[in-house]
Amino acid sequence: MQAAQTQVAAHNQVAQAATEAAQSVEKSSEKASQSIEQQGKRLSDFATKVDYTLRQTGAYFHMGTAAWQGVLRDVQDMYIGINQAIKQLNADTENGGNIAMSLAKAEAYAISNAHKLDNVTLNNLNQAIDKAKQKMAQLAQEAANARAEAEKELLRAQGRDDEVARLEQQQKIEQLRKQQAAAQKSGNRDAANDYEAAIVASNKAFEERLRREAEQREQARLEAEQREREKAEQQRQRELEKQQREQERLEQQRQRELEKHISNQSVQVNMQTDFSRLSAAIQKRDDVIADAAAQKLLSELEHSILQQR
């Protein structure tokens, strides 16, 4: 009977202390489930958690000693700190706060106090941690995707389409690997095997596509070279024709100049011939005039001599 009364008194003391601590936190956390009544009535949710930890750690051994208040306050502060850590972590996860810092704090609570906490608090803490880790993983994946897209955009701008195709294939295989891992984790061997077959088929299809595209590029290259050769040959023919036309033009010009020269020579010869004839005629005329003048002079001399006699 005495032991029972002592236990009830201990519960009431824990409940009273827990209630006072809970009331200081209620403004920033959820309300306590019920108020504590005297003489063994059901404890509040917060007091129940404190009571569980005291029992789990054997801390009731300190009840009635000088260390009791400190032990009780430590347990209360632990729950207050954990509840605040859970609330802060959930808020940062939802609103984009400093998740890493809040996550580190929550994980520290979980590591050092997992064996002390009641199941509800421990589950809430683990759920907040898991949710935050998922958010961090999501942010990391989004950042990786953004970087991959930027890298592919750069490769496309540089004309490196083969590397773009390989990056896209790598991303596809990574996604299939994740799905395969999830199937294996769930114990679905058939699905895991199907994913493995899909990965093998996808890689084969990708390599076949690369081979076919390489053949097409090679064929296109050969055709382009053939067109260039034909174009060069056509250009060469045009140049030859142009040179031939130029030679013909020069030959015709030379021929015309030669004909002109010959014509000029003929004119000069004709002019020289006509001039010679004219000169001969003039000379003959002059000779006739000179002879006539001489005869006249002789006649005048003879007449003059006859008169003198």
Side-chain angles (χ1 to χ4, degrees), residues 89-99 135:
L89 182 57
N90 285 333
D92 289 341
T93 301
E94 292 294 331
N95 303 322
N98 192 337
I99 300 176
K135 184 65 175 180

Side-chain angles (χ1 to χ4, degrees), residues 159-213:
R160 297 155 67 181
D161 294 335
D162 283 352
E163 294 183 48
V164 174
R166 289 194 178 279
L167 281 177
E168 291 177 344
Q169 177 66 12
Q170 181 181 349
Q171 291 173 340
K172 181 179 180 180
I173 295 302
E174 287 176 353
Q175 182 62 30
L176 289 174
R177 288 295 184 194
K178 291 178 181 179
Q179 294 172 339
Q180 183 186 34
Q184 290 173 340
K185 185 176 181 180
S186 67
N188 192 335
R189 293 184 178 180
D190 291 339
N193 292 336
D194 287 341
Y195 278 120
E196 183 63 29
I199 290 171
V200 172
S202 179
N203 283 330
K204 287 183 178 179
F206 176 71
E207 294 299 330
E208 176 62 21
R209 190 184 75 181
L210 289 183
R211 184 191 64 78
R212 186 175 64 254
E213 290 177 352

Side-chain angles (χ1 to χ4, degrees), residues 91-128:
D92 289 341
T93 301
E94 292 294 331
N95 303 322
N98 192 337
I99 300 176
M101 184 174 68
S102 297
L103 178 59
K105 186 175 182 180
E107 287 181 323
Y109 272 122
I111 292 172
S112 59
N113 300 297
H115 63 290
K116 305 176 186 178
L117 297 175
D118 67 287
N119 290 336
V120 174
T121 302
L122 185 59
N123 287 338
N124 289 340
L125 181 59
N126 287 333
Q127 287 176 4

Side-chain angles (χ1 to χ4, degrees), residues 1-255:
M1 184 64 176
Q2 181 64 34
Q5 290 177 348
T6 301
Q7 188 66 50
V8 170
H11 286 182
N12 289 338
Q13 186 176 2
V14 171
Q16 183 63 33
T19 300
E20 293 174 357
Q23 288 174 349
S24 67
V25 188
E26 283 176 356
K27 294 181 180 180
S28 60
S29 62
E30 61 182 6
K31 295 182 178 180
S33 59
Q34 291 181 351
S35 299
I36 299 192
E37 298 180 358
Q38 297 294 328
Q39 303 299 328
K41 288 189 176 181
R42 190 162 63 91
L43 304 177
S44 71
D45 181 52
F46 186 79
T48 300
K49 294 176 180 180
V50 173
D51 177 65
Y52 173 85
T53 299
L54 291 172
R55 290 174 179 277
Q56 188 72 11
T57 59
Y60 274 118
F61 175 79
H62 298 285
M63 187 176 180
T65 67
W68 171 244
Q69 291 297 326
V71 171
L72 184 59
R73 175 56 63 182
D74 288 342
V75 175
Q76 293 170 353
D77 290 345
M78 179 191 70
Y79 274 103
I80 292 171
I82 289 174
N83 288 332
Q84 290 176 341
I86 293 173
K87 181 179 180 181
Q88 184 63 49
L89 182 57
N90 285 333
D92 289 341
T93 301
E94 292 294 331
N95 303 322
N98 192 337
I99 300 176
M101 184 174 68
S102 297
L103 178 59
K105 186 175 182 180
E107 287 181 323
Y109 272 122
I111 292 172
S112 59
N113 300 297
H115 63 290
K116 305 176 186 178
L117 297 175
D118 67 287
N119 290 336
V120 174
T121 302
L122 185 59
N123 287 338
N124 289 340
L125 181 59
N126 287 333
Q127 287 176 4
I129 290 173
D130 290 342
K131 187 176 181 181
K133 286 183 176 180
Q134 291 174 3
K135 184 65 175 180
M136 293 282 284
Q138 177 187 345
L139 293 174
Q141 186 62 48
E142 290 174 354
N145 291 341
R147 178 178 178 178
E149 288 301 318
E151 289 176 348
K152 288 191 291 185
E153 183 177 355
L154 176 60
L155 291 173
R156 288 192 184 96
Q158 295 173 341
R160 297 155 67 181
D161 294 335
D162 283 352
E163 294 183 48
V164 174
R166 289 194 178 279
L167 281 177
E168 291 177 344
Q169 177 66 12
Q170 181 181 349
Q171 291 173 340
K172 181 179 180 180
I173 295 302
E174 287 176 353
Q175 182 62 30
L176 289 174
R177 288 295 184 194
K178 291 178 181 179
Q179 294 172 339
Q180 183 186 34
Q184 290 173 340
K185 185 176 181 180
S186 67
N188 192 335
R189 293 184 178 180
D190 291 339
N193 292 336
D194 287 341
Y195 278 120
E196 183 63 29
I199 290 171
V200 172
S202 179
N203 283 330
K204 287 183 178 179
F206 176 71
E207 294 299 330
E208 176 62 21
R209 190 184 75 181
L210 289 183
R211 184 191 64 78
R212 186 175 64 254
E213 290 177 352
E215 290 180 351
Q216 292 174 349
R217 286 195 299 272
E218 179 63 16
Q219 181 64 27
R221 185 186 67 81
L222 294 175
E223 292 176 355
E225 289 181 353
Q226 179 63 27
R227 288 193 297 270
E228 287 298 323
R229 286 194 295 271
E230 293 176 354
K231 182 178 179 181
E233 179 61 24
Q234 293 173 356
Q235 181 65 24
R236 191 181 69 83
Q237 290 294 334
R238 286 194 293 270
E239 289 294 331
L240 289 175
E241 293 174 358
K242 181 178 179 181
Q243 292 176 4
Q244 185 176 359
R245 289 194 298 271
E246 181 65 14
Q247 290 177 353
E248 291 176 353
R249 186 186 68 80
L250 293 175
E251 180 64 24
Q252 292 174 358
Q253 182 178 356
R254 189 185 67 81
Q255 185 67 28

